[in-house]
Amino acid sequence: MPRHALNQLRTTLNGPRRAAALLVLRVARAQHSALDAQQSALRAARRAALRAAVGAAAHLRAHGWLDRTADARWLTPADLIAALDGTLDPATLRTLAQARRHAARSQPLPASVPHVPAPHAAGPDTLTGTALSPGVRDGRLHRWTPGERVPPGRVALLPGPPAPHHLPALADAAALIVPRSGLHSPVAAHARHGARPAITLPLTAHDTDWLLDGALVRLNGHTGTLTLLRRAGVPDPIPSFDLNLEAPSLTPPVGAADQPTVLSPHVRVLPRPAPFSIDLI
């Protein structure tokens, strides 16, 4: 945190709020320090492993077990350890390195396949991105263009990271889909401040055929997924129900007392109200 922001925090807040803010800041600094230490230790361990592998390969080459030190890239750590322990003979070690090098060079390069949209499957389609703001929302998709206001309750699909002066136009959106955005971007912070779920999707995901205006989608800001619930142009299903407008018969049919009463699945029986009394004395 910059020094001027820390001074503002100490001067504008008072009492328990200032103590809580300083405690959160102290915990965040400790977490960042632990993360930096873990990353530094990981990089140091990788460098040590590479130096050990190169040293082992040089030792094996000096004793005639390998033709070149660079052949260590085709050997696993288990192969190098077995060779140093003497449980792997030199002929097998050289054969392994040559066979793996030949197999890697003889593999053909992957041919460029033109992009063909996948057909719509029977189940719901799902796109996976990165979560920016937590929450789950269902809503109609709306492709937003800068300068217009998002209709209320829509899931806005942005063409790119919006400018700061365009953020107020996203206030009525139920959720946001932003390409090429990060967790600390202004739009991600704006979404978290407004308790609005948001995810970021790669550019290739925008070529999906069901990302159209009016598609009913579910955005999960916890897992970073976007699920198609209903394609654009498909109306919502009308719930089926029946109404019995005939007057009930006052005389029960013959044998009705012996038969169990079968209620319609559309009838919900409410419990009888519990008796109560009010004592005004």
Side-chain angles (χ1 to χ4, degrees):
M1 176 179 289
R3 184 176 298 276
H4 67 276
L6 183 59
N7 293 334
Q8 185 178 8
L9 184 147
R10 288 174 175 172
T11 55
T12 55
L13 298 181
N14 54 8
R17 292 185 178 180
R18 180 172 62 245
L22 293 177
L23 178 61
V24 171
L25 180 61
R26 192 178 304 112
V27 172
R29 285 178 174 175
Q31 292 179 351
H32 283 291
S33 299
L35 182 60
D36 292 340
Q38 190 266 344
Q39 295 292 337
S40 301
L42 183 60
R43 289 192 293 268
R46 288 177 178 173
R47 288 194 296 267
L50 289 175
R51 283 195 296 267
V54 173
H59 177 76
L60 294 174
R61 179 179 177 275
H63 288 75
W65 287 50
L66 286 177
D67 297 333
R68 299 182 306 167
T69 306
D71 289 341
R73 62 176 300 190
W74 310 111
L75 300 174
T76 63
D79 298 336
L80 293 174
I81 294 174
L84 293 175
D85 293 341
T87 57
L88 189 64
D89 57 286
T92 305
L93 188 66
R94 285 192 294 268
T95 303
L96 281 175
Q98 293 175 3
R100 291 171 183 171
R101 181 173 64 249
H102 178 73
R105 293 178 178 177
S106 60
Q107 290 181 356
L109 295 177
S112 58
V113 180
H115 173 70
V116 179
H120 176 60
D125 294 280
T126 302
L127 297 176
T128 303
T130 305
L132 299 178
S133 178
V136 180
R137 295 289 187 277
D138 293 351
R140 295 288 180 178
L141 199 66
H142 176 75
R143 285 183 174 267
W144 179 75
T145 55
E148 69 170 1
R149 194 169 186 87
V150 179
R154 293 296 186 97
V155 178
L157 176 61
L158 279 62
H165 63 277
H166 286 154
L167 294 178
L170 309 174
D172 295 334
L176 301 178
I177 306 171
V178 190
R180 308 186 308 275
S181 183
L183 189 61
H184 303 288
S185 61
V187 64
H190 179 76
R192 290 192 296 270
H193 179 75
R196 192 174 299 107
I199 63 173
T200 176
L201 290 175
L203 293 177
T204 55
H206 288 221
D207 299 333
T208 308
D209 57 346
W210 53 263
L211 281 177
L212 301 175
D213 285 342
L216 184 63
V217 295
R218 173 172 297 163
L219 187 145
N220 192 329
H222 301 283
T223 60
T225 57
L226 181 69
T227 304
L228 173 67
L229 301 180
R230 193 172 301 114
R231 284 178 171 258
V234 178
D236 296 337
I238 301 177
S240 60
F241 59 93
D242 55 355
L243 295 176
N244 186 8
L245 301 180
E246 298 179 359
S249 177
L250 299 180
T251 59
V254 179
D258 301 334
Q259 297 178 358
T261 303
V262 179
L263 298 178
S264 170
H266 305 285
V267 177
R268 182 165 60 95
V269 180
L270 298 177
R272 296 176 61 87
F276 64 94
S277 62
I278 301 177
D279 192 359
L280 300 179
I281 297 177

